[in-house]
Amino acid sequence: MRRFGAVLLSLLAAWPAAAQLDSAALARLERPRVVAAAERYLRDAPLTITAIPAPHSAGGPHDFYSEGDYWWPDPRSPDSPYVRRDGETNPANFVAHRDAIRRLSQIVPALVAAYVITRDPGYARHAAAHLRAWFADESTRMNPSLLYAQAIKGRATGRGTGLIDTIHLVEVARAAWVLERLGYRDEALSGTKQWFQQYLHWMTTHPYGNDERTSGNNHAAAWALQVAEFAHLVGDAQQLARMRRFFEDTLVAGQMAADGSFPRELARTKPYGYSLFQLDVMGTLAWVLDAWTFTTPDGRGMRRALAFMYPFIKDKRTWPKPPDVMYFDAWPVRDPALLFGGLALHEPRYVDLWKTLNPDPSADEVIRNYPIRQPLLWLWEGAGP
């Protein structure tokens, strides 16, 4: 399957010079931001879930645990099972393991991106130390399963919907792949690949994985992106082909409306944020699968999905739906779909808008729904910039 990074220059050859953005140009653009972040992260020691007790978990210290975002005590009976309030995050729920994974997903990709730019081995060594702690060291590693994610008091010790919590491992996997392709040698990388192989098998065979695959909304897309990128890391061509079919036949054909919108996301109490999240997940998946130009017989595809959201990213005041119940003012950020779509579809206006948006949001809710933060890792061509 053709990789976008290897053909990026030929894709851009016909563009106006001002609109070109190959990996070398992106490295120049990103260098101040990436290196500054990597320098900060050099001071951060690895911290895995084994150092963070989860008192309500039905699992052990190596098992990831989280509690469902939108579940609250029943005001009519505080001792009864929790009740759902869509879009309203309960701040009392346990999210410390999620925070730890997000911390990893910010640190390792930034360090590897800095290594791509500078070839300073200190960045690679520190990235490898975090990978070793999370995926290779038996005393600190996380189990390659998600049996206890998004638990609900009184209702479930874990749910398939919890698999979305590892969406932040997608860019970690990409960082490990780039680090290996750059020739960096460390046993942490082989341990990391083995972990992702095991997790890939679990999430494609366990009933929780099937729950996500058949969810019919952004959870199915997030599951597919994880499967595709983890398969990319470990070289599983069969899973990549399977995800290409799933993208075409289920995600595009089954979730996208004729105008390019995603009705299941628009029906939520946070339609703007959910629409952007779905667009970014689908856009990144299309980049991994080289599927940005795919269309159904009636014209649905990522070209139409990006065209639908573009005006509302450019000017949120034109958004026709009610504002999200929470965090509406924090969006948009530097959506990767704009970059990937702009390059794949030869649409400079998307890249131009992408450049103007905030690459480093601070709102926790936005960070939680913004898993692709180091575009250089996704445009890297295999020989460095």
Side-chain angles (χ1 to χ4, degrees):
M1 183 173 61
R2 179 167 59 94
R3 299 190 194 283
F4 266 116
V7 298
L8 191 57
L9 291 176
S10 62
L11 280 174
L12 294 169
W15 280 31
Q20 291 187 10
L21 188 68
D22 60 17
S23 63
L26 183 61
R28 291 191 295 272
L29 176 70
E30 288 281 87
R31 184 184 182 105
R33 166 184 172 263
V34 167
V35 173
E39 284 296 310
R40 294 195 305 272
Y41 293 142
L42 285 175
R43 301 190 289 269
D44 292 339
L47 175 69
T48 77
I49 61 172
T50 59
I52 308 170
H56 301 138
S57 175
H62 294 268
D63 290 308
F64 178 93
Y65 176 74
S66 65
E67 293 172 345
D69 294 286
Y70 304 145
W71 293 87
W72 296 72
D74 188 338
R76 300 166 299 179
S77 178
D79 295 329
S80 296
Y82 276 22
V83 295
R84 192 168 189 267
R85 291 158 51 177
D86 185 40
E88 299 181 43
T89 301
N90 182 349
N93 285 349
F94 182 89
V95 294
H97 287 181
R98 275 193 197 157
D99 291 344
I101 277 191
R102 286 207 297 272
R103 177 180 184 267
L104 175 75
S105 75
Q106 291 172 299
I107 290 174
V108 167
L111 289 167
V112 175
Y115 183 55
V116 169
I117 292 170
T118 68
R119 295 300 193 270
D120 183 336
Y123 297 131
R125 283 195 299 269
H126 202 55
H130 284 268
L131 294 174
R132 184 180 305 108
W134 272 89
F135 307 117
D137 189 326
E138 291 293 335
S139 65
T140 58
R141 72 195 287 265
M142 172 180 154
N143 284 336
S145 58
L146 228 65
L147 294 170
Y148 309 104
Q150 295 219 13
I152 305 169
K153 183 180 178 180
R155 296 183 181 273
T157 58
R159 298 180 294 154
T161 191
L163 269 71
I164 203 168
D165 285 350
T166 49
I167 189 70
H168 291 278
L169 293 182
V170 166
E171 197 160 73
V172 174
R174 173 63 56 145
W177 181 83
V178 170
L179 197 57
E180 183 180 54
R181 293 309 184 280
L182 282 169
Y184 188 78
R185 297 291 177 260
D186 192 293
E187 73 280 1
L189 289 179
S190 58
T192 297
K193 289 180 68 175
Q194 183 179 19
W195 189 96
F196 277 101
Q197 181 71 67
Q198 294 170 342
Y199 187 49
L200 176 64
H201 175 76
W202 182 86
M203 68 186 302
T204 54
T205 58
H206 192 275
Y208 283 180
N210 185 63
D211 289 346
E212 287 292 82
R213 181 179 63 83
T214 59
S215 65
N217 65 0
N218 67 84
H219 280 257
W223 174 85
L225 174 56
Q226 292 182 70
V227 171
E229 186 53 34
F230 302 160
H232 172 256
L233 171 62
V234 304
D236 190 333
Q238 184 177 9
Q239 284 289 6
L240 283 167
R242 181 186 175 208
M243 288 306 100
R244 174 68 186 240
R245 293 191 296 272
F246 185 77
F247 173 84
E248 296 176 355
D249 300 339
T250 300
L251 296 178
V252 173
Q255 292 194 27
M256 189 183 297
D259 62 359
S261 67
F262 295 96
R264 289 285 296 274
E265 313 310 323
L266 289 175
R268 302 295 294 271
T269 60
K270 293 190 285 192
Y272 188 71
Y274 270 106
S275 292
L276 289 175
F277 175 70
Q278 175 77 335
L279 179 69
D280 285 340
V281 169
M282 290 279 286
T284 306
L285 178 59
W287 185 260
V288 174
L289 299 174
D290 189 9
W292 261 94
T293 57
F294 165 79
T295 59
T296 61
D298 62 356
R300 286 173 294 161
M302 290 309 302
R303 180 187 297 273
R304 190 168 290 180
L306 186 53
F308 174 83
M309 282 302 295
Y310 170 74
F312 312 129
I313 300 173
K314 186 176 182 181
D315 185 357
K316 189 170 60 177
R317 294 171 297 181
T318 64
W319 180 242
K321 302 285 286 186
D324 295 3
V325 294
M326 297 178 72
Y327 303 104
F328 184 65
D329 292 341
W331 296 101
V333 294
R334 199 173 71 172
D335 297 279
L338 287 167
L339 175 63
F340 297 151
L343 296 176
L345 302 175
H346 297 219
E347 288 278 4
R349 61 185 174 135
Y350 294 147
V351 178
D352 291 342
L353 179 57
W354 175 84
K355 290 178 181 179
T356 69
L357 297 170
N358 179 16
D360 297 303
S362 58
D364 184 71
E365 174 77 2
V366 175
I367 295 170
R368 183 169 72 88
N369 292 289
Y370 180 55
I372 307 302
R373 308 181 188 96
Q374 298 299 340
L376 186 60
L377 302 179
W378 301 87
L379 269 67
W380 182 76
E381 296 173 13

